[in-house]
Amino acid sequence: MTHILDELAWRGLIAQSTDAQALREALGSGPQTFYVGFDPTAPSLHHGHLVQLIVMRHLQLAGHHPLALVGGATGLIGDPRMSGERVLNTKDTVAEWVERLKSQIERFLDFGGDNPARMVNNLDWTGELSAIDFLREVGKHYRLGTMLAKDTVARRLASEEGISFTEFSYQILQGMDFLELHRRYGCTLQSGGNDQWGNLLSGVELIRKTERSTVHAMTTPLITKADGTKFGKSEGGAIWLDPEMMSPYAFYQFWLNADDAEVIGFLKVFTFRTREEIAELERITAERPAAREAQRALAYDVTSLVHGKDATDKVIAASRALFGGGDLTVLDAATLAAATAELPTAEVRIGDPIVDVLAAIGIVPSKGAARRAIAEGGGYVNNRKVTDEAETLGADDVLHGQWVLVRRGKRTLAAARVVG
């Protein structure tokens, strides 16, 4: 049986760890309790958190005990960023986001059965802690030289803005979390993103000093695209897991559009497909790249993991329907709106000639070109071929009281929004 560390390494999910051999022996000796922290600095988790949730799931499937920590306390402070000081959110906002993140995390881990995951909130042991007790019991174990040497802290200190004592103290709070989970649940491993390495070591060192115990830390690499740019940035925004912040349709399309050079790596990181299945998809991608089977497998698996199979099936049906492979009228309003969000649009009115609609929306350069497209059998309204260039837009053509899909040929698609 493959050791869990070998499996994670093959999938590209290990960047750094404390003593690799000691960690291997610990994970091989029997079930270990581990944790990953998620700070509520936004109302949703995103693609970076998804990597951590997948690591947690792999470890749980291997028999280890997960603790999912939602940072009701650390979320009030904020991890120092390279870009500058965070704006502190209100306590009510953070509390609301804690609950939202909990509901997202619950979908990825098994909280029942013989090896249940556990949800914890660091506000439970931090909220009532006095400043004096914090300084005496925790702060005395930290040395400023070590704290100042942390990469993010050092860069912020060298910047014009500097760093506040609030954010500077974050690494102590995270170290205290590991110590508390070690004492309460016997937690011996923390995992996180590679940018968290210094904070993870904070807890390892604190436990060594206070408990005289050896614990472990492990990080995942920053997942980048084939061109080396940061992964998961689409028009400057994160790939959110909340369907209200990024629709399942847009989420599916993001993975479907993965480059051939990156799709196999993404399959290893973001899906639970076997080595044999991924090897076969790699072979197909090399031999028949136009088939895009690996991309379809990736998009289906990740969207199903995050949003469920029903939502994924709706997305696939919408994709087919947009280009003539299904009935547009069966799509619900939310799916249709998401599917048309990136299309060219124009405002139209009931009674407008179809020729005018095609030209106004820009899928043909002129009314004359629109007439020729219709005459050649290449003009469509809601997948219905238009055969008469004198035809006008009717009330029956409007989907969900607002939209009409128009198409020229097989692939040139746009959305007309009905007004008035």
Side-chain angles (χ1 to χ4, degrees):
M1 184 176 180
T2 303
H3 193 287
I4 184 59
L5 286 184
D6 293 330
E7 179 68 15
L8 294 176
W10 175 77
R11 291 182 177 276
L13 285 169
I14 299 178
Q16 299 183 79
S17 73
T18 49
D19 190 329
Q21 186 57 37
L23 176 58
R24 174 177 291 274
E25 291 173 0
L27 291 173
S29 66
Q32 302 293 307
T33 298
F34 69 96
Y35 97 94
V36 175
F38 303 89
D39 274 350
T41 54
S44 172
L45 301 174
H46 56 65
H47 60 279
H49 300 117
L50 180 58
V51 175
Q52 302 310 316
L53 289 165
I54 287 172
V55 168
M56 294 186 78
R57 188 155 167 171
H58 278 296
L59 285 166
Q60 185 177 31
L61 290 171
H64 302 291
H65 308 316
L67 299 171
L69 184 149
V70 180
T74 43
L76 292 167
I77 303 302
D79 189 14
R81 300 178 301 178
M82 295 291 189
S83 57
E85 195 82 9
R86 292 180 183 272
V87 176
L88 297 181
N89 295 304
T90 67
K91 291 183 178 181
D92 287 344
T93 296
V94 172
E96 177 190 343
W97 289 354
V98 163
E99 296 307 313
R100 292 184 64 154
L101 265 57
K102 282 182 178 179
S103 67
Q104 290 183 331
I105 293 168
E106 285 171 349
R107 298 201 299 267
F108 292 88
L109 301 171
D110 182 2
F111 286 84
D114 297 331
N115 180 28
R118 183 190 296 267
M119 195 85 70
V120 294
N121 184 342
N122 56 20
L123 192 62
D124 291 345
W125 55 82
T126 307
E128 301 302 319
L129 184 66
S130 72
I132 295 297
D133 287 340
F134 174 69
L135 293 172
R136 282 178 57 85
E137 302 302 323
V138 183
K140 69 178 180 180
H141 295 291
Y142 283 83
R143 295 294 174 265
L144 278 176
T146 303
M147 297 176 70
L148 291 168
K150 295 289 193 300
D151 188 43
T152 303
V153 172
R155 292 194 191 186
R156 286 281 298 279
L157 282 172
S159 71
E160 185 174 329
E161 182 180 12
I163 185 171
S164 70
F165 179 75
T166 299
E167 288 195 3
F168 179 65
S169 301
Y170 181 92
Q171 58 187 290
I172 303 180
L173 292 176
Q174 186 162 327
M176 190 173 68
D177 288 343
F178 200 171
L179 174 61
E180 191 66 28
L181 295 177
H182 179 69
R183 288 172 171 170
R184 291 188 179 202
Y185 307 110
C187 182
T188 57
L189 170 64
Q190 182 184 6
S191 180
N194 206 32
D195 59 342
Q196 291 291 306
W197 180 243
N199 290 332
L200 270 62
L201 291 183
S202 171
V204 171
E205 282 299 300
L206 181 59
I207 292 170
R208 182 185 65 81
K209 291 176 180 179
T210 59
E211 307 298 293
R212 303 293 188 266
S213 298
T214 299
V215 295
H216 307 282
M218 180 177 73
T219 63
T220 57
L222 174 66
I223 308 298
T224 58
K225 296 178 72 66
D227 60 4
T229 58
K230 287 186 178 181
F231 172 79
K233 296 296 181 181
S234 176
E235 301 300 324
I239 306 303
W240 299 108
L241 306 191
D242 188 327
E244 295 178 3
M245 296 177 67
M246 186 175 195
S247 71
Y249 183 89
F251 188 85
Y252 179 91
Q253 293 299 322
F254 172 80
W255 301 102
L256 188 65
N257 290 327
D259 190 271
D260 287 344
E262 64 198 9
V263 67
I264 301 304
F266 288 176
L267 281 165
K268 291 178 180 179
V269 170
F270 291 100
T271 79
F272 290 83
R273 297 210 172 217
T274 65
R275 298 186 186 211
E276 293 74 20
E277 289 173 320
I278 293 175
E280 176 63 12
L281 288 167
E282 186 171 18
R283 182 190 65 79
I284 293 171
T285 299
E287 294 178 359
R288 304 196 310 275
R292 298 187 70 76
E293 287 196 30
Q295 282 86 348
R296 290 204 300 273
L298 174 70
Y300 185 85
D301 283 11
V302 184
T303 308
S304 297
L305 179 66
V306 173
H307 297 295
K309 294 187 183 302
D310 287 347
T312 306
D313 290 341
K314 284 184 179 181
V315 165
I316 294 172
S319 298
R320 290 174 178 165
L322 285 179
F323 295 98
D327 184 0
L328 286 168
T329 63
V330 303
L331 301 182
D332 61 73
T335 302
L336 181 64
T340 58
E342 303 300 322
L343 296 177
T345 60
E347 292 186 352
V348 298
R349 295 176 181 274
I350 300 298
D352 284 353
I354 300 298
V355 166
D356 291 2
V357 172
L358 293 174
I361 211 164
I363 61 174
V364 291
S366 64
K367 293 181 182 180
R371 294 188 184 94
R372 288 193 296 274
I374 291 172
E376 294 167 359
Y380 295 84
V381 171
N382 296 340
N383 293 334
R384 173 181 58 81
K385 183 181 290 187
V386 179
T387 57
D388 183 357
E389 66 179 52
E391 184 178 333
T392 59
L393 199 63
D396 292 343
D397 294 319
V398 183
L399 302 171
H400 295 292
Q402 185 177 20
W403 297 105
V404 177
L405 274 294
V406 294
R407 178 162 51 91
R408 179 177 60 81
K410 293 182 178 180
R411 306 299 299 175
T412 307
L413 188 68
R417 187 164 64 87
V418 178
V419 298

